[in-house]
Amino acid sequence: AGNRVSFSAYIKGHDGIRLGRGCKIQADASVDATRSPGVRFGDKVEINRYAYVQGGNGGVRIADRVRVNNFAIINGSGGVDIGEDTLIGPGVQIISYQHRYAHGATIQSQPVQEKPIHIGRDCWLGANSIIMAGVRIGDGAVVAAGAVVRADVPAQAVVAGVPATVKKYRE
């Protein structure tokens, strides 16, 4: 199918990975699909060096022509869906779980809550932005570098800041 997986890529749980046609997994990238439902890539998905995709309990589904740049992290504990033609910048963190507060419990024993993340098609997640559990990002949205997205982002919105807020719309 024209896929290229580097010999130095770290692949764990290869039975849980589904590749479309023409995918590239670069040297030193990691894909962990040891938990069901695993990791699914559409056609022409690129995972660059040192990026980490972890399927987790909810799985990761990446549509056609998505590029995941260096040092990005995608954690599918609560499930992650990424629409086609989306660009994920270097150092982006997409984390589909969060710790909850339990009075009297140590920090390490706090309960974890898994929530799905949906990123629409034709989105751009700028370098080092963070997408928190339970967020939906609409089609065509842009997340500025370094933004922390804690709430849903409307389609075509440009968001920036900590926490991220709408600054303008693309169209």
Side-chain angles (χ1 to χ4, degrees), residues 12-128:
K12 187 174 179 184
H14 65 276
D15 290 344
I17 299 172
R18 300 289 176 259
L19 296 177
R21 297 179 182 273
C23 294
K24 296 177 186 173
I25 301 176
Q26 303 280 344
D28 303 311
S30 297
V31 178
D32 180 349
T34 53
R35 293 188 182 152
S36 184
V39 176
R40 298 185 186 281
F41 294 153
D43 295 340
K44 298 182 180 177
V45 171
E46 294 183 31
I47 309 296
N48 285 338
R49 293 176 64 118
Y50 304 107
Y52 179 52
V53 179
Q54 181 184 33
N57 296 327
V60 173
R61 289 156 298 282
I62 301 177
D64 298 344
R65 299 173 304 281
V66 170
R67 285 194 290 164
V68 179
N69 275 288
N70 305 58
F71 299 102
I73 297 170
I74 301 172
N75 173 279
S77 291
V80 174
D81 284 298
I82 301 171
E84 57 270 348
D85 299 308
T86 288
L87 178 61
I88 299 173
V92 168
Q93 297 178 50
I94 301 170
I95 310 297
S96 63
Y97 73 93
Q98 60 191 22
H99 289 274
R100 298 182 48 109
Y101 177 73
H103 184 72
T106 63
I107 291 172
Q108 289 187 21
S109 64
Q110 298 292 316
V112 172
Q113 182 177 28
E114 299 171 338
K115 294 182 180 179
I117 293 173
H118 176 79
I119 299 167
R121 58 178 302 281
D122 190 31
C123 293
W124 179 11
L125 308 183
N128 297 312

Side-chain angles (χ1 to χ4, degrees), residues 154-170:
Q156 301 296 323
V158 177
V159 299
V162 179
T165 57
V166 175
K167 302 302 180 186
K168 64 180 182 177
Y169 286 86
R170 289 179 60 199

